[in-house]
Amino acid sequence: MKFTEREMTVAVEAVAARSFEALPRLLRSRAGGTSWDTLSKGDRYPLLAAAGDLVLPALVALPERPTVGATPAFTDEEYEAAAEEALRQRADRSGPGTWDETSERKRRKALAAGAAVLRIAVTAMPVRQDPDALVVPDHL
């Protein structure tokens, strides 16, 4: 699916912040702060980079859904299919046949986690605006 740069940025930031907040307090303090808001930009960067590597390929794999005035809505199957495609591509970069050699249990857990992360990313996105109804303010 095609997302705007702003939508993808918000999605990656939401996933990074949510995963940071899920860390135990000791690990959060070692990373540079106790909450996402207290982290400096330099401390946030590795978390944002990791979230981007995980989320962006899966966002692109989602089916095209032209929604205006709301965030896109997808079914559980669509989230899982997008997560599987992204995980398969990642595994193929590691070596041929890696994803197919993964046990069924590990594959199911990875797909469930990938779909959950993708769901967090999509729900955090801002409401989509109609590109044809662009309103330019008078002062411009």
Side-chain angles (χ1 to χ4, degrees):
M1 180 165 178
K2 296 177 186 172
F3 290 103
T4 64
E5 183 179 346
R6 179 69 186 145
E7 288 172 327
M8 291 188 288
T9 301
V10 169
V12 169
E13 286 176 352
V15 170
R18 185 92 174 254
S19 58
F20 179 76
E21 298 296 336
L23 290 173
R25 187 174 183 89
L26 177 65
L27 290 176
R28 283 186 285 172
S29 64
R30 285 185 183 169
T34 56
S35 72
W36 180 255
D37 296 330
T38 61
L39 288 176
S40 68
K41 289 183 179 182
D43 292 334
R44 286 182 184 190
Y45 180 77
L47 299 166
L48 290 168
D53 287 344
L54 180 67
V55 172
L56 294 177
L59 285 175
V60 173
L62 286 169
E64 192 64 38
R65 192 70 39 93
T67 55
V68 176
T71 57
F74 300 100
T75 64
D76 292 337
E77 292 78 22
E78 290 171 330
Y79 281 124
E80 287 181 9
E84 182 174 14
E85 184 175 330
L87 289 169
R88 183 178 298 276
Q89 289 174 0
R90 182 180 218 163
D92 287 346
R93 283 181 279 170
S94 301
T98 307
W99 178 253
D100 297 326
E101 294 170 1
T102 306
S103 71
E104 184 64 28
R105 182 172 177 249
K106 284 184 179 181
R107 194 177 310 157
R108 276 186 281 136
K109 288 177 90 173
L111 287 177
V117 166
L118 194 53
R119 193 172 290 110
I120 290 167
V122 171
T123 56
M125 288 182 179
V127 174
R128 298 192 108 184
Q129 302 298 319
D130 185 6
D132 295 330
L134 179 66
V135 177
V136 179
D138 290 336
H139 67 277
L140 292 179

